[in-house]
Amino acid sequence: MFWSLFKGSLVLFTSALLAFGASKLVEMPGEVNFVFYDKEIRASLLAATITLLGFGVSFFILVKLVGFCTAILAFITGKDTAFSRYLKRSRISRGQKSLKNGLIALTEGDNKRSLLEANRAYRALDKSEITTLLCAQAAMSSGDIKLAEFYYKQLLGYKDSQLVALVGLIKIKISDGKNSTALKLAQKAALIKPGSIEVLQTLFKLQTNCDDWNGARRTLLAEKNTGNLSNDIMARREAVLLFAEARKLREMGQIEKALDKVREAIKKSPSLIPAVCMATELEFLSGKKTKASKIIISCWNLQPHPNLARAFSALEVSETPHERFKRFAPLFKNSTDCLTNNIIKAELYIGMEDFPSARRELKNLISERPNSKILILMAAIEKGSGASENIIRGWLTRAASAEREPEWFCGACANIGAWEPICPNCNSFDSYEWGSPLLRIQNS
């Protein structure tokens, strides 16, 4: 309010001063004569003053007009002028505004608007790194893979943005199913920034999906050196990689090399059941039955498992049921897993036709946590004991609706199947667990 009062007072004072000056000029006697060649023009002092002021203003406008024309001519010829700098500042301002709007739209999930604003900023800011990156990310979010690839390839030309460009291209190649190309790009990215955990994890996943087990071990060691992996996780993953490599060597008929690899895998992770089962089989094929038995017993003491029982049973194919039960006795000596122990014992008792002993092994399991396997064994026990068909059918009916027996399933996607280093459904590494996928889903 004070400023408005001041401006009003200033206008009034100036107007009064001009009016006072004009009145003085009118009152003053005399006149001004202008002579042009033979012509003489007489004017009052007021008119002469106004004329001089008019000439001054006209001359000022003429000078500015000439300067403006000169600037336009310089602009047309490509010289750096105030006008060109003004246009450049205006273009940069518009580009920065579009860049800001594009980032906001991308964060809000408005992919269409983000791509539109990104393209405006890209043109206004002379295709800079940041605008090119925004265009690439906006194109990816919009699902325009080809456009995103175009922008990511442009980013390869900038030293500071090569890594982010490679990461973007890797994602595109993986989505297209071109894992071999993505693997080569990931290897380049790892050379640019060896300590990047994201790059190393992507490279590791691609190497395992491409069965490059040796390369995956090197990448795993590089990730370990960054401090991102604990010793236990490192040992487990390395054991899985060694087992996968051993299986590949076995398929190629190189039994000795496969045995060396699987032995190394067991040293790193003694409870890796698939590796233990393979080692048992390979040791048996090499004529080392006693060593194969020791491997099974050692692992059983850590983690009893039906697969170990089957591998242990396969070491002797011509023994009687009583001989088999006697040979299995060391497995049950130090184990505390009642469920697996009792089920295996019950199966052995059924094989010996000792049905009362088999029933005692399953008695507590039926009341605590019965599954289809236990109930089917009870049906077999009842049948061996001479029970009626109604009793046997009752156990089988319960088994049909009971919880399924434990099995291997992928913890990432719940795919059920034999244990694999890489899940064939979701390509997750070392994701198979032993148990019930239904219970896992309910608990999560």
Side-chain angles (χ1 to χ4, degrees):
M1 182 176 178
F2 174 78
W3 179 244
S4 300
L5 181 61
F6 175 76
K7 288 192 294 183
S9 301
L10 183 62
V11 169
L12 289 174
F13 177 76
T14 304
S15 301
L17 185 62
L18 291 174
F20 177 75
S23 64
K24 287 296 182 181
L25 286 174
V26 171
E27 293 175 358
M28 288 179 64
E31 59 184 14
V32 178
N33 296 333
F34 296 97
V35 179
F36 295 96
Y37 296 101
D38 296 334
K39 294 182 179 181
E40 182 179 351
I41 300 175
R42 294 182 179 182
S44 64
L45 291 176
L46 180 60
T49 303
I50 294 173
T51 302
L52 290 174
L53 289 175
F55 274 115
V57 172
S58 300
F59 180 76
F60 178 78
I61 293 174
L62 180 62
V63 170
K64 291 297 181 181
L65 185 60
V66 171
F68 180 71
C69 294
T70 305
I72 291 178
L73 183 62
F75 174 76
I76 294 173
T77 57
K79 294 181 180 179
D80 186 24
T81 63
F83 185 64
S84 63
R85 290 192 293 272
Y86 167 77
L87 293 179
K88 185 177 181 180
R89 288 195 301 270
S90 177
R91 177 166 50 83
I92 291 174
S93 178
R94 292 196 309 272
Q96 290 175 342
K97 184 178 180 181
S98 295
L99 178 63
K100 179 194 70 174
N101 293 336
L103 288 171
I104 293 173
L106 184 63
T107 305
E108 292 176 346
D110 190 350
N111 299 325
K112 186 176 180 181
R113 179 168 170 262
S114 174
L115 185 57
L116 179 63
E117 294 288 354
N119 285 324
R120 289 175 178 172
Y122 177 77
R123 292 190 299 268
L125 299 178
D126 297 329
K127 305 177 182 179
S128 63
E129 291 177 74
I130 187 66
T131 56
T132 306
L133 177 59
L134 178 59
C135 286
Q137 292 181 339
M140 281 288 288
S141 300
S142 301
D144 194 339
I145 303 301
K146 290 185 178 180
L147 184 60
E149 186 175 3
F150 167 76
Y151 285 123
Y152 278 127
K153 286 181 178 179
Q154 284 196 342
L155 285 173
L156 289 174
Y158 303 99
K159 183 179 179 180
D160 295 336
S161 60
Q162 283 183 347
L163 182 61
V164 70
L166 287 171
V167 171
L169 290 172
I170 289 168
K171 292 179 181 178
I172 290 173
K173 296 304 178 184
I174 292 175
S175 65
D176 290 341
K178 299 177 181 178
N179 287 339
S180 58
T181 305
L183 177 58
K184 294 178 181 178
L185 293 173
Q187 290 170 343
K188 291 181 180 179
L191 291 175
I192 294 175
K193 194 172 183 181
S196 173
I197 295 175
E198 180 184 359
V199 170
L200 291 175
Q201 289 177 345
T202 302
L203 177 59
F204 177 79
K205 185 173 183 179
L206 288 168
Q207 287 170 328
T208 54
N209 289 339
C210 295
D211 293 347
D212 183 8
W213 309 116
N214 282 326
R217 287 184 66 190
R218 291 192 296 270
T219 303
L220 195 65
L221 180 60
E223 187 177 354
K224 172 67 166 57
N225 292 335
T226 64
N228 189 51
L229 292 179
S230 65
N231 291 330
D232 292 340
I233 295 176
M234 173 70 182
R236 168 70 184 193
R237 292 184 179 180
E238 196 171 5
V240 174
L241 293 173
L242 286 166
F243 165 71
E245 189 176 357
R247 191 167 66 171
K248 185 177 180 180
L249 290 170
R250 179 189 174 189
E251 292 172 355
M252 297 168 61
Q254 301 178 21
I255 302 299
E256 289 299 324
K257 290 184 178 180
L259 187 55
D260 290 338
K261 292 292 182 182
V262 78
R263 284 172 179 168
E264 189 177 353
I266 294 174
K267 286 181 181 178
K268 293 185 177 297
S269 181
S271 61
L272 184 56
I273 293 170
V276 172
C277 293
M278 177 188 283
T280 302
E281 183 181 355
L282 294 179
E283 295 285 6
F284 179 75
L285 293 175
S286 300
K288 302 175 182 178
K289 187 186 298 184
T290 303
K291 190 171 184 179
S293 298
K294 290 181 179 179
I295 293 173
I296 291 288
I297 293 172
S298 298
C299 185
W300 186 276
N301 291 334
L302 295 174
Q303 185 179 352
H305 196 277
N307 287 6
L308 296 176
R310 282 192 286 270
F312 195 69
S313 178
L315 296 178
E316 293 288 349
V317 294
S318 58
E319 62 187 350
T320 64
H322 289 81
E323 291 173 339
R324 177 164 296 181
F325 187 88
K326 184 178 180 181
R327 189 167 62 87
F328 266 77
L331 295 181
F332 310 131
K333 185 177 181 181
N334 298 320
S335 176
T336 58
D337 188 305
C338 296
L339 177 63
T340 305
N341 277 346
N342 291 358
I343 289 176
I344 299 299
K345 281 184 180 180
E347 289 178 333
L348 293 173
Y349 279 128
I350 291 172
M352 294 187 300
E353 298 184 359
D354 186 354
F355 301 111
S357 297
R359 191 191 303 274
R360 283 194 298 272
E361 293 295 332
L362 299 180
K363 182 178 179 181
N364 292 333
L365 298 181
I366 293 173
S367 58
E368 293 176 0
R369 41 178 174 173
N371 57 42
S372 58
K373 174 75 172 181
I374 296 171
L375 297 174
I376 289 173
L377 289 176
M378 281 302 302
I381 291 171
E382 294 294 350
K383 184 175 182 180
S385 301
S388 65
E389 288 296 325
N390 289 335
I391 295 176
I392 297 171
R393 194 178 297 111
W395 285 109
L396 293 176
T397 301
R398 286 183 62 185
S401 59
E403 174 191 330
R404 294 177 60 175
E405 63 179 298
E407 55 196 334
W408 289 114
F409 70 96
C410 175
C413 67
N415 182 60
I416 298 173
W419 189 95
E420 293 288 342
I422 307 294
C423 175
N425 186 53
C426 67
N427 292 328
S428 297
F429 176 75
D430 190 24
S431 59
Y432 272 85
E433 304 174 13
W434 179 258
S436 172
L438 183 60
L439 288 179
R440 171 67 180 273
I441 294 172
Q442 290 174 350
N443 293 333
S444 61

